Amino acid sequence: MAQDNPQRKVFAPWNDAAATPMIRIEGVTKRFGDFTAVDNVSLDIHKGEFFSLLGASGCGKTTLLRMLAGFETPTEGRIFIDGADVSLVPPYERPVNMMFQSYALFPHMSVEQNVGFGLRQDGLAKAVIKDKVAALLDLVQMSQFAGRKPHQLSGGQRQRVALARSLAKEPKVLLLDEPLGALDKKLREKTQLELVNIQDRVGITFVMVTHDQDEAMTMSSRIGIMNAGAITQVGTPVEIYEYPTSRYVADFIGAANMFDATVKTCADGRLVAACPELRHDLVVQHEGTLAAGSPVTIIVRPEKMVVQREKPADGMDWASGTIADIAYLGDVSTYHIRLASGHVVQVLQTNLRHTGEQKLTWEDEVFLVWHPANALALTR
Ligand SMILES: Nc1ncnc2c1ncn2[C@@H]1O[C@H](COP(=O)(O)OP(=O)(O)O)[C@@H](O)[C@H]1O
Ligand SMILES: [Mg+2]
């Protein structure tokens, strides 16, 4: 818990209206012929952030990243880095580096030579380069492999060398395009934490492209969700998961049960909606106003529902159905409940078997119950 650890400071520069963002993307569009790859994106990314662009393959993430690097020029809009308009500045003159995948290491050079390459090009003194490279290898825990060639390294080690090399010239911003894509699952999870630790230590702003939701959730200060070239929502991992602002995001991040409904009343933080599918009303805690008659989608995450045999207490929301499937995963089970409408709802339950709870099984008639505070009403 953050508040239990005094070392852990609250980091939320995006809430500071006076802060100058490290990166400002202003109405940026990129067209290839008549195809729009990036569609009017505006976004601020702050100093020290680990920002992820997350979205399905082909949604424009790499194109946006390449415009930050200077490898592509926006068709419309402008890009500022550290206050300066870089829209027309070539890649090598931007205070930005892009980390490519491991194959970009020079095969004939040692680890040490690879990491020091850019510094030698800049004509830094030998002793300075030596010290810098040593510090970088220490940072990525590769000191003992300084003399090896890339082919003598594992995939994870090569990735760390590539990271050290891309940090050598101390860019203000490091861009990473699917940096862990080549690693297997276990190594990938370990490397995610390492990368976050390194970013925290160097304090450089990282912008990462990924299509992996878990990766974005674990690593990022904030996430920008992209869909068809546009950014549909920007927020911290908690905001994105707990408060998606659209059906698309609710469905893309985690699992979401959705019920179509129509607003009956909406006042004082309480929305009542008729749900034809359930043949009763649903209540949702909801700030803001929605007119009676507005269509809404009520969203409930699987872990925020409980399966039980008893009819729920007043004040709770509910649905009823039969258990169509149970997936036992040890710590948790996923129940698939078929409602009278045919709609199958997912519920995640922690397995507390040892407390002697009654066992539910296939074809049981059950109630799904949730609290109005644990649902969301979305209009798009
Ligand atoms: N140089 C290019 N010429 C034409 N189309 C391109 C070019 N680069 C990317 N695209 C198209 O733009 C879309 C977005 O691509 P990209 O940014 O690579 O997506 P992502 O990284 O999210 O998978 C894709 O449909 C891709 O085919
Ligand atoms: Mg890509």
Side-chain angles (χ1 to χ4, degrees):
M1 295 269 104
Q3 60 267 43
D4 294 336
N5 183 351
Q7 301 291 307
R8 187 104 179 234
K9 38 198 187 309
V10 176
F11 174 77
W14 49 87
N15 289 332
D16 176 3
T20 308
M22 176 55 81
I23 299 171
R24 167 157 283 177
I25 301 171
E26 216 177 71
V28 165
T29 292
K30 178 69 186 181
R31 286 188 207 97
F32 296 107
D34 57 8
F35 177 76
T36 305
V38 172
D39 190 2
N40 192 22
V41 167
S42 293
L43 178 65
D44 285 350
I45 299 174
H46 291 265
K47 186 168 188 290
E49 274 206 71
F50 197 126
F51 193 97
S52 295
L53 292 167
L54 172 66
S57 177
C59 71
K61 307 178 295 293
T62 295
T63 305
L64 185 55
L65 203 70
R66 286 172 59 81
M67 288 193 280
L68 294 178
F71 299 129
E72 301 283 0
T73 311
T75 313
E76 281 167 29
R78 294 191 300 173
I79 293 172
F80 297 83
I81 296 177
D82 206 13
D85 187 344
V86 297
S87 306
L88 301 172
V89 175
Y92 54 89
E93 284 176 14
R94 296 189 184 198
V96 164
N97 206 343
M98 184 135 162
M99 187 177 126
F100 296 98
Q101 299 251 317
S102 46
Y103 49 74
L105 294 176
F106 301 113
H108 58 287
M109 287 186 197
S110 68
V111 164
E112 197 171 15
Q113 288 166 333
N114 262 288
V115 174
F117 178 77
L119 303 175
R120 285 199 301 283
Q121 292 252 303
D122 282 357
L124 265 66
K126 270 208 165 114
V128 175
I129 297 178
K130 196 163 189 302
D131 286 353
K132 278 198 161 221
V133 170
L136 285 160
L137 291 181
D138 185 47
L139 179 73
V140 299
Q141 295 170 18
M142 286 294 290
S143 305
Q144 78 226 67
F145 304 111
R148 287 207 188 166
K149 297 280 173 59
H151 76 269
Q152 296 168 312
L153 302 174
S154 70
Q157 291 168 337
R158 266 181 250 153
Q159 209 60 49
R160 270 141 63 187
V161 176
L163 178 65
R165 191 177 63 175
S166 62
L167 291 171
K169 292 173 77 174
E170 296 171 24
K172 287 179 181 165
V173 175
L174 184 63
L175 307 172
L176 308 104
D177 193 351
E178 309 264 3
L180 310 177
L183 308 180
D184 63 55
K185 190 174 184 301
K186 225 178 182 122
L187 186 58
R188 201 176 164 120
E189 283 168 6
K190 180 169 163 280
T191 311
Q192 287 170 1
L193 297 176
E194 280 176 12
L195 197 53
V196 170
N197 276 326
I198 289 170
Q199 189 268 342
D200 199 40
R201 282 168 67 185
V202 296
I204 291 173
T205 307
F206 278 32
V207 183
M208 178 176 81
V209 156
T210 181
H211 66 274
D212 183 323
Q213 303 143 44
D214 292 340
E215 188 159 293
M217 293 292 279
T218 323
M219 298 177 74
S220 318
S221 55
R222 288 187 306 156
I223 300 171
I225 309 266
M226 287 189 76
N227 180 23
I231 300 258
T232 54
Q233 189 172 354
V234 175
T236 63
V238 172
E239 286 164 354
I240 295 275
Y241 185 80
E242 299 292 341
Y243 304 103
T245 55
S246 62
R247 283 185 295 263
Y248 179 81
V249 172
D251 195 43
F252 186 69
I253 301 287
N257 296 306
M258 304 197 184
F259 302 96
D260 289 329
T262 307
V263 176
K264 288 173 95 171
T265 61
C266 181
D268 306 323
R270 190 181 135 98
L271 182 150
V272 180
C275 182
E277 179 193 346
L278 299 180
R279 299 199 210 159
H280 59 259
D281 294 349
L282 292 176
V283 179
V284 184
Q285 285 186 11
H286 187 85
E287 297 309 322
T289 50
L290 282 170
S294 308
V296 285
T297 304
I298 310 290
I299 306 269
V300 196
R301 299 280 190 198
E303 78 282 5
K304 294 185 168 65
M305 293 175 152
V306 175
V307 190
Q308 61 188 48
R309 287 186 207 277
E310 312 78 42
K311 195 163 196 313
D314 283 352
M316 299 295 281
D317 282 317
W318 60 277
S320 61
T322 55
I323 298 179
D325 212 348
I326 305 173
Y328 175 72
L329 301 170
D331 52 347
V332 293
S333 291
T334 305
Y335 290 80
H336 293 242
I337 318 283
R338 184 173 292 109
L339 310 184
S341 63
H343 179 179
V344 176
V345 174
Q346 267 190 57
V347 186
L348 196 77
Q349 299 261 253
T350 307
N351 289 317
L352 304 170
R353 286 188 163 222
H354 298 285
T355 59
E357 82 208 46
Q358 57 177 330
K359 202 167 174 300
L360 296 165
T361 189
W362 278 262
E363 301 305 327
D364 279 358
E365 303 271 341
V366 290
F367 292 94
L368 318 172
V369 184
W370 67 95
H371 191 274
N374 283 332
L376 287 173
L378 301 179
T379 53
R380 64 176 185 124

